mmCIF file with all atom_site columns, all heavy atoms in Angstrom:
data_model
loop_
_atom_site.group_PDB
_atom_site.id
_atom_site.type_symbol
_atom_site.label_atom_id
_atom_site.label_alt_id
_atom_site.label_comp_id
_atom_site.label_asym_id
_atom_site.label_entity_id
_atom_site.label_seq_id
_atom_site.pdbx_PDB_ins_code
_atom_site.Cartn_x
_atom_site.Cartn_y
_atom_site.Cartn_z
_atom_site.occupancy
_atom_site.B_iso_or_equiv
_atom_site.pdbx_formal_charge
_atom_site.auth_seq_id
_atom_site.auth_comp_id
_atom_site.auth_asym_id
_atom_site.auth_atom_id
_atom_site.pdbx_PDB_model_num
ATOM 1   N N   . LYS A 1 1  ? -2.662  -17.661 -0.191  1.00 0.00 ? 1  LYS A N   1
ATOM 2   C CA  . LYS A 1 1  ? -3.137  -16.437 -0.830  1.00 0.00 ? 1  LYS A CA  1
ATOM 3   C C   . LYS A 1 1  ? -4.609  -16.586 -1.209  1.00 0.00 ? 1  LYS A C   1
ATOM 4   O O   . LYS A 1 1  ? -5.085  -17.688 -1.480  1.00 0.00 ? 1  LYS A O   1
ATOM 5   C CB  . LYS A 1 1  ? -2.278  -16.116 -2.044  1.00 0.00 ? 1  LYS A CB  1
ATOM 6   C CG  . LYS A 1 1  ? -0.834  -15.830 -1.633  1.00 0.00 ? 1  LYS A CG  1
ATOM 7   C CD  . LYS A 1 1  ? 0.054   -15.527 -2.788  1.00 0.00 ? 1  LYS A CD  1
ATOM 8   C CE  . LYS A 1 1  ? 1.468   -15.261 -2.285  1.00 0.00 ? 1  LYS A CE  1
ATOM 9   N NZ  . LYS A 1 1  ? 2.454   -15.375 -3.328  1.00 0.00 ? 1  LYS A NZ  1
ATOM 10  N N   . PRO A 1 2  ? -5.341  -15.486 -1.252  1.00 0.00 ? 2  PRO A N   1
ATOM 11  C CA  . PRO A 1 2  ? -6.784  -15.567 -1.512  1.00 0.00 ? 2  PRO A CA  1
ATOM 12  C C   . PRO A 1 2  ? -7.136  -16.100 -2.905  1.00 0.00 ? 2  PRO A C   1
ATOM 13  O O   . PRO A 1 2  ? -8.234  -16.602 -3.111  1.00 0.00 ? 2  PRO A O   1
ATOM 14  C CB  . PRO A 1 2  ? -7.276  -14.128 -1.334  1.00 0.00 ? 2  PRO A CB  1
ATOM 15  C CG  . PRO A 1 2  ? -6.072  -13.269 -1.376  1.00 0.00 ? 2  PRO A CG  1
ATOM 16  C CD  . PRO A 1 2  ? -4.901  -14.123 -0.973  1.00 0.00 ? 2  PRO A CD  1
ATOM 17  N N   . PHE A 1 3  ? -6.217  -16.029 -3.850  1.00 0.00 ? 3  PHE A N   1
ATOM 18  C CA  . PHE A 1 3  ? -6.511  -16.464 -5.215  1.00 0.00 ? 3  PHE A CA  1
ATOM 19  C C   . PHE A 1 3  ? -6.097  -17.918 -5.489  1.00 0.00 ? 3  PHE A C   1
ATOM 20  O O   . PHE A 1 3  ? -6.234  -18.399 -6.611  1.00 0.00 ? 3  PHE A O   1
ATOM 21  C CB  . PHE A 1 3  ? -5.850  -15.535 -6.236  1.00 0.00 ? 3  PHE A CB  1
ATOM 22  C CG  . PHE A 1 3  ? -4.366  -15.354 -6.053  1.00 0.00 ? 3  PHE A CG  1
ATOM 23  C CD1 . PHE A 1 3  ? -3.459  -16.266 -6.567  1.00 0.00 ? 3  PHE A CD1 1
ATOM 24  C CD2 . PHE A 1 3  ? -3.886  -14.253 -5.357  1.00 0.00 ? 3  PHE A CD2 1
ATOM 25  C CE1 . PHE A 1 3  ? -2.094  -16.099 -6.404  1.00 0.00 ? 3  PHE A CE1 1
ATOM 26  C CE2 . PHE A 1 3  ? -2.514  -14.069 -5.182  1.00 0.00 ? 3  PHE A CE2 1
ATOM 27  C CZ  . PHE A 1 3  ? -1.620  -15.001 -5.710  1.00 0.00 ? 3  PHE A CZ  1
ATOM 28  N N   . PHE A 1 4  ? -5.619  -18.643 -4.467  1.00 0.00 ? 4  PHE A N   1
ATOM 29  C CA  . PHE A 1 4  ? -5.174  -20.033 -4.643  1.00 0.00 ? 4  PHE A CA  1
ATOM 30  C C   . PHE A 1 4  ? -6.271  -20.898 -5.274  1.00 0.00 ? 4  PHE A C   1
ATOM 31  O O   . PHE A 1 4  ? -6.033  -21.628 -6.243  1.00 0.00 ? 4  PHE A O   1
ATOM 32  C CB  . PHE A 1 4  ? -4.723  -20.620 -3.301  1.00 0.00 ? 4  PHE A CB  1
ATOM 33  C CG  . PHE A 1 4  ? -4.357  -22.070 -3.371  1.00 0.00 ? 4  PHE A CG  1
ATOM 34  C CD1 . PHE A 1 4  ? -3.170  -22.485 -3.951  1.00 0.00 ? 4  PHE A CD1 1
ATOM 35  C CD2 . PHE A 1 4  ? -5.194  -23.042 -2.834  1.00 0.00 ? 4  PHE A CD2 1
ATOM 36  C CE1 . PHE A 1 4  ? -2.823  -23.834 -4.015  1.00 0.00 ? 4  PHE A CE1 1
ATOM 37  C CE2 . PHE A 1 4  ? -4.865  -24.391 -2.887  1.00 0.00 ? 4  PHE A CE2 1
ATOM 38  C CZ  . PHE A 1 4  ? -3.681  -24.783 -3.479  1.00 0.00 ? 4  PHE A CZ  1
ATOM 39  N N   . GLY A 1 5  ? -7.474  -20.831 -4.741  1.00 0.00 ? 5  GLY A N   1
ATOM 40  C CA  . GLY A 1 5  ? -8.574  -21.637 -5.264  1.00 0.00 ? 5  GLY A CA  1
ATOM 41  C C   . GLY A 1 5  ? -8.871  -21.336 -6.720  1.00 0.00 ? 5  GLY A C   1
ATOM 42  O O   . GLY A 1 5  ? -9.159  -22.242 -7.510  1.00 0.00 ? 5  GLY A O   1
ATOM 43  N N   . GLU A 1 6  ? -8.798  -20.064 -7.083  1.00 0.00 ? 6  GLU A N   1
ATOM 44  C CA  . GLU A 1 6  ? -9.040  -19.663 -8.468  1.00 0.00 ? 6  GLU A CA  1
ATOM 45  C C   . GLU A 1 6  ? -7.978  -20.254 -9.402  1.00 0.00 ? 6  GLU A C   1
ATOM 46  O O   . GLU A 1 6  ? -8.299  -20.710 -10.507 1.00 0.00 ? 6  GLU A O   1
ATOM 47  C CB  . GLU A 1 6  ? -9.043  -18.134 -8.563  1.00 0.00 ? 6  GLU A CB  1
ATOM 48  C CG  . GLU A 1 6  ? -9.363  -17.606 -9.934  1.00 0.00 ? 6  GLU A CG  1
ATOM 49  C CD  . GLU A 1 6  ? -9.377  -16.078 -9.991  1.00 0.00 ? 6  GLU A CD  1
ATOM 50  O OE1 . GLU A 1 6  ? -9.149  -15.411 -8.968  1.00 0.00 ? 6  GLU A OE1 1
ATOM 51  O OE2 . GLU A 1 6  ? -9.627  -15.564 -11.093 1.00 0.00 ? 6  GLU A OE2 1
ATOM 52  N N   . LEU A 1 7  ? -6.713  -20.257 -8.961  1.00 0.00 ? 7  LEU A N   1
ATOM 53  C CA  . LEU A 1 7  ? -5.643  -20.852 -9.770  1.00 0.00 ? 7  LEU A CA  1
ATOM 54  C C   . LEU A 1 7  ? -5.896  -22.334 -10.016 1.00 0.00 ? 7  LEU A C   1
ATOM 55  O O   . LEU A 1 7  ? -5.774  -22.823 -11.140 1.00 0.00 ? 7  LEU A O   1
ATOM 56  C CB  . LEU A 1 7  ? -4.285  -20.686 -9.070  1.00 0.00 ? 7  LEU A CB  1
ATOM 57  C CG  . LEU A 1 7  ? -3.720  -19.280 -8.956  1.00 0.00 ? 7  LEU A CG  1
ATOM 58  C CD1 . LEU A 1 7  ? -2.463  -19.290 -8.100  1.00 0.00 ? 7  LEU A CD1 1
ATOM 59  C CD2 . LEU A 1 7  ? -3.428  -18.700 -10.332 1.00 0.00 ? 7  LEU A CD2 1
ATOM 60  N N   . VAL A 1 8  ? -6.260  -23.038 -8.934  1.00 0.00 ? 8  VAL A N   1
ATOM 61  C CA  . VAL A 1 8  ? -6.514  -24.476 -9.037  1.00 0.00 ? 8  VAL A CA  1
ATOM 62  C C   . VAL A 1 8  ? -7.700  -24.749 -9.960  1.00 0.00 ? 8  VAL A C   1
ATOM 63  O O   . VAL A 1 8  ? -7.629  -25.614 -10.842 1.00 0.00 ? 8  VAL A O   1
ATOM 64  C CB  . VAL A 1 8  ? -6.722  -25.087 -7.633  1.00 0.00 ? 8  VAL A CB  1
ATOM 65  C CG1 . VAL A 1 8  ? -7.214  -26.530 -7.729  1.00 0.00 ? 8  VAL A CG1 1
ATOM 66  C CG2 . VAL A 1 8  ? -5.424  -25.007 -6.829  1.00 0.00 ? 8  VAL A CG2 1
ATOM 67  N N   . GLU A 1 9  ? -8.772  -24.006 -9.786  1.00 0.00 ? 9  GLU A N   1
ATOM 68  C CA  . GLU A 1 9  ? -9.959  -24.205 -10.630 1.00 0.00 ? 9  GLU A CA  1
ATOM 69  C C   . GLU A 1 9  ? -9.642  -23.936 -12.100 1.00 0.00 ? 9  GLU A C   1
ATOM 70  O O   . GLU A 1 9  ? -10.084 -24.669 -12.988 1.00 0.00 ? 9  GLU A O   1
ATOM 71  C CB  . GLU A 1 9  ? -11.105 -23.305 -10.169 1.00 0.00 ? 9  GLU A CB  1
ATOM 72  C CG  . GLU A 1 9  ? -11.685 -23.679 -8.828  1.00 0.00 ? 9  GLU A CG  1
ATOM 73  C CD  . GLU A 1 9  ? -12.192 -25.110 -8.770  1.00 0.00 ? 9  GLU A CD  1
ATOM 74  O OE1 . GLU A 1 9  ? -12.876 -25.553 -9.727  1.00 0.00 ? 9  GLU A OE1 1
ATOM 75  O OE2 . GLU A 1 9  ? -11.892 -25.800 -7.782  1.00 0.00 ? 9  GLU A OE2 1
ATOM 76  N N   . PHE A 1 10 ? -8.869  -22.900 -12.358 1.00 0.00 ? 10 PHE A N   1
ATOM 77  C CA  . PHE A 1 10 ? -8.544  -22.539 -13.736 1.00 0.00 ? 10 PHE A CA  1
ATOM 78  C C   . PHE A 1 10 ? -7.703  -23.613 -14.418 1.00 0.00 ? 10 PHE A C   1
ATOM 79  O O   . PHE A 1 10 ? -8.027  -24.062 -15.515 1.00 0.00 ? 10 PHE A O   1
ATOM 80  C CB  . PHE A 1 10 ? -7.832  -21.181 -13.770 1.00 0.00 ? 10 PHE A CB  1
ATOM 81  C CG  . PHE A 1 10 ? -7.373  -20.796 -15.140 1.00 0.00 ? 10 PHE A CG  1
ATOM 82  C CD1 . PHE A 1 10 ? -8.285  -20.585 -16.159 1.00 0.00 ? 10 PHE A CD1 1
ATOM 83  C CD2 . PHE A 1 10 ? -6.028  -20.659 -15.415 1.00 0.00 ? 10 PHE A CD2 1
ATOM 84  C CE1 . PHE A 1 10 ? -7.858  -20.249 -17.436 1.00 0.00 ? 10 PHE A CE1 1
ATOM 85  C CE2 . PHE A 1 10 ? -5.603  -20.316 -16.686 1.00 0.00 ? 10 PHE A CE2 1
ATOM 86  C CZ  . PHE A 1 10 ? -6.513  -20.116 -17.692 1.00 0.00 ? 10 PHE A CZ  1
ATOM 87  N N   . ILE A 1 11 ? -6.626  -24.056 -13.783 1.00 0.00 ? 11 ILE A N   1
ATOM 88  C CA  . ILE A 1 11 ? -5.715  -25.019 -14.421 1.00 0.00 ? 11 ILE A CA  1
ATOM 89  C C   . ILE A 1 11 ? -6.379  -26.383 -14.595 1.00 0.00 ? 11 ILE A C   1
ATOM 90  O O   . ILE A 1 11 ? -5.986  -27.167 -15.457 1.00 0.00 ? 11 ILE A O   1
ATOM 91  C CB  . ILE A 1 11 ? -4.368  -25.115 -13.673 1.00 0.00 ? 11 ILE A CB  1
ATOM 92  C CG1 . ILE A 1 11 ? -3.262  -25.699 -14.575 1.00 0.00 ? 11 ILE A CG1 1
ATOM 93  C CG2 . ILE A 1 11 ? -4.483  -25.918 -12.404 1.00 0.00 ? 11 ILE A CG2 1
ATOM 94  C CD1 . ILE A 1 11 ? -2.714  -24.769 -15.589 1.00 0.00 ? 11 ILE A CD1 1
ATOM 95  N N   . THR A 1 12 ? -7.415  -26.670 -13.805 1.00 0.00 ? 12 THR A N   1
ATOM 96  C CA  . THR A 1 12 ? -8.132  -27.939 -13.939 1.00 0.00 ? 12 THR A CA  1
ATOM 97  C C   . THR A 1 12 ? -9.354  -27.831 -14.858 1.00 0.00 ? 12 THR A C   1
ATOM 98  O O   . THR A 1 12 ? -10.056 -28.815 -15.043 1.00 0.00 ? 12 THR A O   1
ATOM 99  C CB  . THR A 1 12 ? -8.570  -28.476 -12.553 1.00 0.00 ? 12 THR A CB  1
ATOM 100 O OG1 . THR A 1 12 ? -9.431  -27.529 -11.925 1.00 0.00 ? 12 THR A OG1 1
ATOM 101 C CG2 . THR A 1 12 ? -7.379  -28.770 -11.654 1.00 0.00 ? 12 THR A CG2 1
ATOM 102 N N   . SER A 1 13 ? -9.574  -26.670 -15.456 1.00 0.00 ? 13 SER A N   1
ATOM 103 C CA  . SER A 1 13 ? -10.787 -26.436 -16.247 1.00 0.00 ? 13 SER A CA  1
ATOM 104 C C   . SER A 1 13 ? -10.731 -27.005 -17.667 1.00 0.00 ? 13 SER A C   1
ATOM 105 O O   . SER A 1 13 ? -11.748 -27.012 -18.362 1.00 0.00 ? 13 SER A O   1
ATOM 106 C CB  . SER A 1 13 ? -11.090 -24.932 -16.313 1.00 0.00 ? 13 SER A CB  1
ATOM 107 O OG  . SER A 1 13 ? -10.121 -24.264 -17.099 1.00 0.00 ? 13 SER A OG  1
ATOM 108 N N   . GLY A 1 14 ? -9.586  -27.467 -18.096 1.00 0.00 ? 14 GLY A N   1
ATOM 109 C CA  . GLY A 1 14 ? -9.450  -28.013 -19.443 1.00 0.00 ? 14 GLY A CA  1
ATOM 110 C C   . GLY A 1 14 ? -8.038  -28.518 -19.649 1.00 0.00 ? 14 GLY A C   1
ATOM 111 O O   . GLY A 1 14 ? -7.205  -28.433 -18.745 1.00 0.00 ? 14 GLY A O   1
ATOM 112 N N   . PRO A 1 15 ? -7.733  -29.028 -20.823 1.00 0.00 ? 15 PRO A N   1
ATOM 113 C CA  . PRO A 1 15 ? -6.394  -29.558 -21.090 1.00 0.00 ? 15 PRO A CA  1
ATOM 114 C C   . PRO A 1 15 ? -5.317  -28.483 -20.995 1.00 0.00 ? 15 PRO A C   1
ATOM 115 O O   . PRO A 1 15 ? -5.543  -27.315 -21.326 1.00 0.00 ? 15 PRO A O   1
ATOM 116 C CB  . PRO A 1 15 ? -6.482  -30.083 -22.524 1.00 0.00 ? 15 PRO A CB  1
ATOM 117 C CG  . PRO A 1 15 ? -7.920  -30.149 -22.846 1.00 0.00 ? 15 PRO A CG  1
ATOM 118 C CD  . PRO A 1 15 ? -8.629  -29.180 -21.965 1.00 0.00 ? 15 PRO A CD  1
ATOM 119 N N   . THR A 1 16 ? -4.144  -28.915 -20.552 1.00 0.00 ? 16 THR A N   1
ATOM 120 C CA  . THR A 1 16 ? -2.945  -28.084 -20.476 1.00 0.00 ? 16 THR A CA  1
ATOM 121 C C   . THR A 1 16 ? -1.846  -28.801 -21.233 1.00 0.00 ? 16 THR A C   1
ATOM 122 O O   . THR A 1 16 ? -1.679  -30.013 -21.086 1.00 0.00 ? 16 THR A O   1
ATOM 123 C CB  . THR A 1 16 ? -2.523  -27.873 -19.004 1.00 0.00 ? 16 THR A CB  1
ATOM 124 O OG1 . THR A 1 16 ? -3.520  -27.092 -18.347 1.00 0.00 ? 16 THR A OG1 1
ATOM 125 C CG2 . THR A 1 16 ? -1.179  -27.170 -18.891 1.00 0.00 ? 16 THR A CG2 1
ATOM 126 N N   . LEU A 1 17 ? -1.088  -28.072 -22.034 1.00 0.00 ? 17 LEU A N   1
ATOM 127 C CA  . LEU A 1 17 ? 0.062   -28.646 -22.728 1.00 0.00 ? 17 LEU A CA  1
ATOM 128 C C   . LEU A 1 17 ? 1.307   -28.273 -21.932 1.00 0.00 ? 17 LEU A C   1
ATOM 129 O O   . LEU A 1 17 ? 1.659   -27.099 -21.838 1.00 0.00 ? 17 LEU A O   1
ATOM 130 C CB  . LEU A 1 17 ? 0.151   -28.128 -24.162 1.00 0.00 ? 17 LEU A CB  1
ATOM 131 C CG  . LEU A 1 17 ? 1.263   -28.722 -25.025 1.00 0.00 ? 17 LEU A CG  1
ATOM 132 C CD1 . LEU A 1 17 ? 1.124   -30.239 -25.148 1.00 0.00 ? 17 LEU A CD1 1
ATOM 133 C CD2 . LEU A 1 17 ? 1.273   -28.068 -26.404 1.00 0.00 ? 17 LEU A CD2 1
ATOM 134 N N   . ALA A 1 18 ? 1.933   -29.283 -21.313 1.00 0.00 ? 18 ALA A N   1
ATOM 135 C CA  . ALA A 1 18 ? 3.147   -29.078 -20.518 1.00 0.00 ? 18 ALA A CA  1
ATOM 136 C C   . ALA A 1 18 ? 4.358   -29.336 -21.405 1.00 0.00 ? 18 ALA A C   1
ATOM 137 O O   . ALA A 1 18 ? 4.424   -30.355 -22.095 1.00 0.00 ? 18 ALA A O   1
ATOM 138 C CB  . ALA A 1 18 ? 3.145   -30.017 -19.313 1.00 0.00 ? 18 ALA A CB  1
ATOM 139 N N   . LEU A 1 19 ? 5.296   -28.412 -21.385 1.00 0.00 ? 19 LEU A N   1
ATOM 140 C CA  . LEU A 1 19 ? 6.501   -28.493 -22.213 1.00 0.00 ? 19 LEU A CA  1
ATOM 141 C C   . LEU A 1 19 ? 7.745   -28.351 -21.349 1.00 0.00 ? 19 LEU A C   1
ATOM 142 O O   . LEU A 1 19 ? 7.729   -27.630 -20.350 1.00 0.00 ? 19 LEU A O   1
ATOM 143 C CB  . LEU A 1 19 ? 6.549   -27.341 -23.228 1.00 0.00 ? 19 LEU A CB  1
ATOM 144 C CG  . LEU A 1 19 ? 5.325   -26.974 -24.034 1.00 0.00 ? 19 LEU A CG  1
ATOM 145 C CD1 . LEU A 1 19 ? 5.582   -25.673 -24.789 1.00 0.00 ? 19 LEU A CD1 1
ATOM 146 C CD2 . LEU A 1 19 ? 4.989   -28.092 -24.991 1.00 0.00 ? 19 LEU A CD2 1
ATOM 147 N N   . VAL A 1 20 ? 8.816   -28.984 -21.765 1.00 0.00 ? 20 VAL A N   1
ATOM 148 C CA  . VAL A 1 20 ? 10.135  -28.673 -21.227 1.00 0.00 ? 20 VAL A CA  1
ATOM 149 C C   . VAL A 1 20 ? 10.941  -28.128 -22.389 1.00 0.00 ? 20 VAL A C   1
ATOM 150 O O   . VAL A 1 20 ? 11.099  -28.792 -23.422 1.00 0.00 ? 20 VAL A O   1
ATOM 151 C CB  . VAL A 1 20 ? 10.829  -29.907 -20.607 1.00 0.00 ? 20 VAL A CB  1
ATOM 152 C CG1 . VAL A 1 20 ? 12.246  -29.545 -20.158 1.00 0.00 ? 20 VAL A CG1 1
ATOM 153 C CG2 . VAL A 1 20 ? 10.016  -30.437 -19.429 1.00 0.00 ? 20 VAL A CG2 1
ATOM 154 N N   . LEU A 1 21 ? 11.406  -26.895 -22.228 1.00 0.00 ? 21 LEU A N   1
ATOM 155 C CA  . LEU A 1 21 ? 12.234  -26.245 -23.232 1.00 0.00 ? 21 LEU A CA  1
ATOM 156 C C   . LEU A 1 21 ? 13.654  -26.132 -22.703 1.00 0.00 ? 21 LEU A C   1
ATOM 157 O O   . LEU A 1 21 ? 13.877  -26.012 -21.495 1.00 0.00 ? 21 LEU A O   1
ATOM 158 C CB  . LEU A 1 21 ? 11.686  -24.853 -23.559 1.00 0.00 ? 21 LEU A CB  1
ATOM 159 C CG  . LEU A 1 21 ? 10.269  -24.802 -24.125 1.00 0.00 ? 21 LEU A CG  1
ATOM 160 C CD1 . LEU A 1 21 ? 9.853   -23.356 -24.356 1.00 0.00 ? 21 LEU A CD1 1
ATOM 161 C CD2 . LEU A 1 21 ? 10.165  -25.601 -25.408 1.00 0.00 ? 21 LEU A CD2 1
ATOM 162 N N   . GLU A 1 22 ? 14.607  -26.143 -23.617 1.00 0.00 ? 22 GLU A N   1
ATOM 163 C CA  . GLU A 1 22 ? 16.023  -26.106 -23.233 1.00 0.00 ? 22 GLU A CA  1
ATOM 164 C C   . GLU A 1 22 ? 16.765  -25.147 -24.146 1.00 0.00 ? 22 GLU A C   1
ATOM 165 O O   . GLU A 1 22 ? 16.463  -25.044 -25.336 1.00 0.00 ? 22 GLU A O   1
ATOM 166 C CB  . GLU A 1 22 ? 16.612  -27.519 -23.360 1.00 0.00 ? 22 GLU A CB  1
ATOM 167 C CG  . GLU A 1 22 ? 18.050  -27.617 -22.909 1.00 0.00 ? 22 GLU A CG  1
ATOM 168 C CD  . GLU A 1 22 ? 18.531  -29.049 -22.984 1.00 0.00 ? 22 GLU A CD  1
ATOM 169 O OE1 . GLU A 1 22 ? 18.365  -29.788 -21.990 1.00 0.00 ? 22 GLU A OE1 1
ATOM 170 O OE2 . GLU A 1 22 ? 19.058  -29.440 -24.052 1.00 0.00 ? 22 GLU A OE2 1
ATOM 171 N N   . GLY A 1 23 ? 17.738  -24.464 -23.566 1.00 0.00 ? 23 GLY A N   1
ATOM 172 C CA  . GLY A 1 23 ? 18.593  -23.583 -24.341 1.00 0.00 ? 23 GLY A CA  1
ATOM 173 C C   . GLY A 1 23 ? 19.407  -22.698 -23.426 1.00 0.00 ? 23 GLY A C   1
ATOM 174 O O   . GLY A 1 23 ? 19.222  -22.695 -22.204 1.00 0.00 ? 23 GLY A O   1
ATOM 175 N N   . GLU A 1 24 ? 20.295  -21.953 -24.001 1.00 0.00 ? 24 GLU A N   1
ATOM 176 C CA  . GLU A 1 24 ? 21.106  -21.020 -23.223 1.00 0.00 ? 24 GLU A CA  1
ATOM 177 C C   . GLU A 1 24 ? 20.203  -19.942 -22.642 1.00 0.00 ? 24 GLU A C   1
ATOM 178 O O   . GLU A 1 24 ? 19.437  -19.316 -23.365 1.00 0.00 ? 24 GLU A O   1
ATOM 179 C CB  . GLU A 1 24 ? 22.193  -20.388 -24.092 1.00 0.00 ? 24 GLU A CB  1
ATOM 180 C CG  . GLU A 1 24 ? 23.293  -21.351 -24.457 1.00 0.00 ? 24 GLU A CG  1
ATOM 181 C CD  . GLU A 1 24 ? 24.470  -20.665 -25.123 1.00 0.00 ? 24 GLU A CD  1
ATOM 182 O OE1 . GLU A 1 24 ? 24.695  -19.454 -24.874 1.00 0.00 ? 24 GLU A OE1 1
ATOM 183 O OE2 . GLU A 1 24 ? 25.160  -21.346 -25.886 1.00 0.00 ? 24 GLU A OE2 1
ATOM 184 N N   . GLY A 1 25 ? 20.278  -19.774 -21.331 1.00 0.00 ? 25 GLY A N   1
ATOM 185 C CA  . GLY A 1 25 ? 19.461  -18.769 -20.666 1.00 0.00 ? 25 GLY A CA  1
ATOM 186 C C   . GLY A 1 25 ? 17.975  -18.973 -20.871 1.00 0.00 ? 25 GLY A C   1
ATOM 187 O O   . GLY A 1 25 ? 17.209  -18.009 -20.937 1.00 0.00 ? 25 GLY A O   1
#
């Protein structure tokens, strides 16, 4: 997709907090 590069640049532009959440639904 044409916006792939923009996604990659954005997510690499600073820290990201990755979480795993759990629960019903």
Side-chain angles (χ1 to χ4, degrees):
K1 296 179 180 162
F3 54 84
F4 175 75
E6 183 179 359
L7 292 173
V8 171
E9 291 303 315
F10 176 63
I11 200 76
T12 60
S13 69
T16 293
L17 184 59
L19 314 171
V20 176
L21 299 178
E22 183 177 271
E24 288 189 27

